[in-house]
Amino acid sequence: MKARIAVLAGDGIGPEVTIEAVRCLRAVAAKFHHDFELIDAPVGAAAMDAGLDPLPASTLALARKTDATLFGAIGSPRYSDPEAKVRPEQAILGLRRELGLFANLRPVVPQASLRHASPLKDNLLEGVDLLVVRELTGGIYFGRQQWLEDSATDECRYTVAEIERIARVAGRLAQARRRKITSVDKANVLETSRLWRQVVTRVMSDEFPDVFLEHQLVDSAAMLLLSRPADYDVIVTENLFGDILSDEAAALAGSLGLLPSASLGDSKRGLYEPIHGSAPDIAGRGIANPYAAISSAALLLRHSLDLEAEAAALEKAVAGAIAAGVLTQDIAPRGMAAADTRGAGAAVLERL
């Protein structure tokens, strides 16, 4: 098949890990006889350094007309002033909003060979295979913001329609898995959470009666996610809670450098990125973990291009590289020589 893919490497370690994902996509195209056109464009601090907006109009136009977007990372200490009106992070929020990407999928499946990298005991990691479904374009990140001399406001707002559509995404995904959904909220305190709980309950009852639904408060879920992680199948939650809980879930896998994500909307077009940030402290040193970026490319193959066999082959190659002991600094046991970014990418390519 022919496909056009926007490549927005971004800032910090973004370019370093993204190039490995791009190499893998090119290898998949060659192996399976596809024609992938990968088109680079600036975003975030890299765009600002060139005198452009964090999300240049040309970059947004490219993302709108390509089949999928591969994203690296965003953010730079050069633009970290909290009072600044223009910040690199506005680019990713803008992309989600303008492309209508309201559902963020973050799978967490710890690998047996990396149990040493998790702070949890081995017995807690047995059978862990969960998926966080995070609402991505509503809530506090997109509400009204105001900064006054002696106060600041971030408004959290959700509509019934926003909750319905993310609940349906979670329901469909749960039907293809173990048919269990945990909806996470703070309904004992927040009005938005009380609405969330009411709407999710109705959608599951009316449209997904074959899926078991439970509700958990976010503080309880944060504890249970680390004490009983195997109990979870699909976790559906709002924007802020999903952001925090999915990063916490990285402790199950062993590193933020291992977890991919897919941001989807009503069409096949999606945005794919590792859940880690730009990590400016290690940028340019060639030690960043590329496995999350490469696994994000696998999600791109699966969800935007409908290439399941190709996605599975890439995920198997990542798992094989890890099982063979090609481990970057963040997941290598103490005293073991760590692989660099390029070496980890090469190990995946070898297994493809």
Side-chain angles (χ1 to χ4, degrees), residues 26-292:
R26 295 191 189 282
V28 166
K31 178 179 176 65
F32 291 91
H33 310 293
H34 299 304
D35 182 6
F36 295 164
E37 182 184 3
L38 295 118
I39 309 163
D40 296 308
V43 73
M48 295 171 70
D49 287 343
L52 304 171
D53 292 332
L55 178 57
S58 58
T59 299
L60 177 58
L62 175 67
R64 279 178 168 154
K65 65 185 179 183
T66 48
D67 298 292
T69 296
L70 183 66
F71 195 91
I74 207 161
S76 168
R78 298 191 308 279
Y79 301 103
S80 60
D81 182 358
E83 297 188 43
K85 292 184 178 181
V86 179
R87 299 184 303 278
E89 293 78 10
Q90 292 168 342
I92 189 64
L93 297 178
L95 279 166
R96 292 167 180 168
R97 180 180 59 248
E98 296 299 324
L99 298 178
L101 307 176
F102 62 85
N104 183 240
L105 314 184
R106 296 188 172 190
V108 183
V109 185
Q111 298 203 34
S113 60
L114 286 180
R115 296 223 175 138
H116 66 272
S118 173
L120 274 68
K121 296 178 180 178
D122 279 3
N123 64 299
L124 294 177
L125 297 173
E126 285 291 340
V128 174
D129 180 355
L130 64 89
L131 175 65
V132 178
V133 180
R134 168 190 172 194
E135 200 290 323
L136 203 58
T137 56
I140 200 167
Y141 292 167
F142 286 87
R144 180 179 63 88
Q145 296 180 324
Q146 188 177 41
W147 185 320
L148 303 177
E149 183 176 346
D150 59 352
S151 68
T153 300
D154 291 285
E155 179 186 59
C156 184
R157 180 177 183 272
Y158 268 108
T159 66
V160 169
E162 287 173 327
I163 302 169
E164 286 176 336
R165 65 185 184 181
I166 195 67
R168 291 186 179 111
V169 169
R172 289 192 293 269
L173 290 166
Q175 285 180 323
R177 292 170 55 91
R178 302 195 305 277
R179 297 179 182 269
K180 178 183 177 182
I181 287 180
T182 303
S183 178
V184 175
D185 58 41
K186 191 63 176 170
N188 60 335
V189 176
L190 301 176
E191 291 296 337
T192 49
S193 281
R194 283 189 270 273
L195 177 65
W196 180 282
R197 183 171 292 206
Q198 180 187 84
V199 173
V200 170
T201 299
R202 172 175 55 79
V203 170
M204 290 299 116
S205 176
D206 292 349
E207 302 179 32
F208 303 93
D210 57 333
V211 174
F212 173 77
L213 171 67
E214 66 176 0
H215 298 281
Q216 284 182 1
L217 298 176
V218 64
D219 40 356
S220 174
M223 184 271 291
L224 293 174
L225 187 58
L226 296 184
S227 61
R228 300 202 320 243
D231 287 356
Y232 291 103
D233 180 18
V234 174
I235 298 173
V236 63
T237 190
E238 58 111 275
N239 207 340
L240 175 62
F241 298 160
D243 192 4
I244 295 169
L245 289 177
S246 56
D247 279 12
E248 180 191 14
L252 305 174
S255 172
L256 285 170
L258 294 169
L259 297 190
S261 76
S263 298
L264 308 172
D266 289 325
S267 70
K268 285 290 185 182
R269 182 180 295 114
L271 182 147
Y272 302 86
E273 60 177 316
I275 76 165
H276 61 67
S278 60
D281 56 319
I282 63 169
R285 295 171 58 188
I287 61 173
N289 187 337
Y291 289 137

Side-chain angles (χ1 to χ4, degrees), residues 7-19:
V7 180
L8 313 184
D11 309 323
I13 64 171
E16 299 171 55
V17 298
T18 300
I19 194 170

